[in-house]
Amino acid sequence: MLFEDLSLHSNILKAIEDEGYTNPTPIQEKAIPHILAGKDLVGCAQTGTGKTAAFAIPIIHNLHRMVGSSKKTKQIRCLVVTPTRELAVQIGESFDTYGKYTNLRQLTIFGGVSQVPQVDQLKKGVDILIATPGRLLDLHKQGFLDFDHLHFLVLDESDLMLDMGFINDVRKIIKLVPTNRQTLLFSATMPLAIRELADTFLTQPEYVSVTPISSTAEIIQQQVYFVDKSDKRGLLYHLIRNENLSNVLVFVRTKHGADNVVKALKKHGVNAEAIHGDKSQTARQRVLDHFKNKEISVLVATDIAARGIDIESLPYVINFDLPNIPETYVHRIGRTGRAGNGGISISFCGKDEEVYWKDILKLIKVNVKVIKDHPFPWKEEISNPEAKPDFRNKNKGANGQNKSRKSEGSKKNKKRWY
């Protein structure tokens, strides 16, 4: 299928052509016709599948037909709610990209920055509002938002909103908008709470789903290192230095852990920065821009902060800490498997994370390469039947002679660098 087959307005087709696209992605091919037809929709698709354009393009088409080139006062006709600042910015950029040959005006609002410029833009009038829940409810309470003319409501990354505790805010927002709207709900996963939300607030929705959660992992070269927790930072620096890794996204479990990893890398000359919820919006955006421009070689992030990162052709993802939810692993490594492209994911598995790794293997059903030749192996033999690592002969050299553990992982190699 071609975009031309979707009966889109010529101005939108021109914008799509400017981006070099001719064929819609699977989620776009499935979702766009339903949205154009005015149906409520539930879409299950991971980041990197073209999900944002799947709702932005048909909404722009319908709004352009509705508003045309009218110069009259603009009203909020589309509201997109998304959980993080980075995602909001990304969605705003998508609406700008595909709506650049229309008269539509979009505004992105979020907390962590002054509301004054946002309020000034609202007073001038906008057609499309992209917002995080907190700032949206705050500005509505102050009387700056009017949803009486709303036609489209989009709830994006709904599972993340659930994880971040925003579902009650979403329920409040839904009560503020007209009941005769078209509602679109997108989520990377479909937990029961999201299905209940869809059943409650959507009207006879169409369900579309692409790329089963386990299949993205099949196109990515995956490696796992079994390493003691105390040696993880040493192994990370060892790989960055010896393998000349750059443009690396490193996932950690906590904000404190992210800062500690960056501090250790910087101490040894690695250009690294962290992105997490405690950073100001300005700092987060600056770090992200520097990483996209390759001014920073290593970006260390928590899962929530990384959900809004949209970088094409990211070559490496490193799971410094394994997630306790297997689906999160797939979302993480999918950062380097965008649009069918390959990439390399590297995971560090400590003894306390072995159960997480087994759960991940059960989900992805892929044989992950176990890297045994590195200076920081587990100090005890592991048991992992799915990965089948074999350390039985790790104390034998190439000639079959026994080597002492000290010889194999010499004190020089094991010397802490941080």
Side-chain angles (χ1 to χ4, degrees), residues 281-301:
Q281 171 60 23
T282 302
R284 288 162 72 174
Q285 195 60 50
R286 182 178 65 249
V287 168
L288 189 55
D289 289 342
H290 287 173
F291 185 63
K292 288 181 177 181
N293 296 331
K294 296 183 172 56
E295 297 170 31
I296 295 171
S297 59
V298 179
L299 179 62
V300 185

Side-chain angles (χ1 to χ4, degrees), residues 162-388:
L162 175 66
D163 292 342
M164 296 177 67
F166 284 140
I167 289 301
N168 286 335
D169 285 347
V170 171
R171 294 181 189 276
K172 293 177 184 177
I173 292 167
I174 290 173
K175 291 180 180 179
L176 301 178
V177 299
T179 56
N180 61 339
R181 65 186 183 270
Q182 182 178 358
T183 307
L184 314 174
L185 185 152
F186 284 86
S187 185
T189 59
M190 277 292 149
L192 179 60
I194 298 300
R195 291 182 179 275
E196 291 175 347
L197 190 73
D199 291 341
T200 304
F201 299 115
L202 277 70
T203 303
Q204 297 181 332
E206 298 288 341
Y207 282 79
V208 297
S209 179
V210 298
T211 312
I213 188 67
S214 61
S215 63
T216 300
E218 296 174 359
I219 62 172
I220 298 168
Q221 297 179 45
Q222 299 175 71
Q223 304 172 359
V224 61
Y225 289 74
F226 294 99
V227 52
D228 285 327
K229 183 177 181 180
S230 60
D231 289 328
K232 282 188 175 185
R233 285 184 287 178
L235 178 58
L236 178 61
Y237 177 65
H238 168 81
L239 293 176
I240 292 172
R241 180 191 62 190
N242 289 3
E243 303 297 330
N244 294 318
L245 303 186
S246 62
N247 207 210
V248 184
L249 178 57
V250 178
F251 282 99
V252 294
R253 189 173 294 118
T254 67
K255 304 168 188 176
H256 181 66
D259 288 335
N260 282 343
V261 169
V262 167
K263 182 178 179 181
L265 290 175
K266 281 186 171 181
K267 183 178 178 181
H268 287 265
V270 178
N271 193 358
E273 293 291 348
I275 181 171
H276 54 65
D278 283 350
K279 301 279 188 179
S280 70
Q281 171 60 23
T282 302
R284 288 162 72 174
Q285 195 60 50
R286 182 178 65 249
V287 168
L288 189 55
D289 289 342
H290 287 173
F291 185 63
K292 288 181 177 181
N293 296 331
K294 296 183 172 56
E295 297 170 31
I296 295 171
S297 59
V298 179
L299 179 62
V300 185
T302 56
D303 287 302
I304 289 177
R307 186 68 85 99
I309 296 175
D310 185 21
I311 302 170
E312 295 182 0
S313 303
L314 184 65
Y316 303 102
V317 166
I318 296 179
N319 293 298
F320 186 89
D321 296 318
L322 287 181
N324 60 349
I325 300 174
E327 289 82 2
T328 300
Y329 171 86
V330 180
H331 295 320
R332 286 180 176 186
I333 70 173
R335 301 288 171 179
T336 187
R338 300 264 176 159
N341 295 320
I344 298 175
S345 79
I346 300 169
S347 297
F348 296 170
C349 181
K351 293 189 185 73
D352 59 327
E353 298 171 312
E354 185 178 5
V355 64
Y356 301 158
W357 185 244
K358 288 182 178 181
D359 289 341
I360 289 167
L361 291 174
K362 288 176 184 176
L363 174 69
I364 64 176
K365 297 179 175 63
V366 172
N367 290 324
V368 177
K369 184 176 182 180
V370 180
I371 307 297
K372 295 176 283 187
D373 184 18
H374 67 88
F376 303 98
W378 276 7
K379 297 180 179 67
E380 297 174 6
E381 187 170 342
I382 66 170
S383 58
N384 191 336
E386 287 86 354
K388 294 183 176 62

Side-chain angles (χ1 to χ4, degrees), residues 89-103:
V89 170
Q90 176 187 327
I91 294 169
E93 290 173 349
S94 186
F95 273 97
D96 282 340
T97 295
Y98 299 112
K100 65 181 179 181
Y101 295 120
T102 71
N103 190 43

Side-chain angles (χ1 to χ4, degrees), residues 383-400:
S383 58
N384 191 336
E386 287 86 354
K388 294 183 176 62
D390 185 3
F391 286 172
R392 289 171 298 177
N393 296 321
K394 65 181 180 181
N395 290 328
K396 289 188 177 182
N399 60 1

Side-chain angles (χ1 to χ4, degrees), residues 39-92:
K39 297 180 180 180
D40 284 7
L41 181 134
V42 177
C44 185
Q46 299 169 36
T47 303
T49 58
K51 170 177 57 65
T52 304
F55 62 79
I57 288 172
I59 287 175
I60 292 169
H61 171 89
N62 285 337
L63 287 181
H64 184 57
R65 291 177 57 190
M66 188 183 306
V67 177
S69 58
S70 173
K71 300 295 184 181
K72 63 182 180 181
T73 302
K74 292 182 172 296
Q75 308 285 352
I76 299 173
R77 302 179 189 274
C78 171
L79 171 63
V80 183
V81 183
T82 193
T84 72
R85 307 160 186 171
E86 289 79 14
L87 283 166
V89 170
Q90 176 187 327
I91 294 169

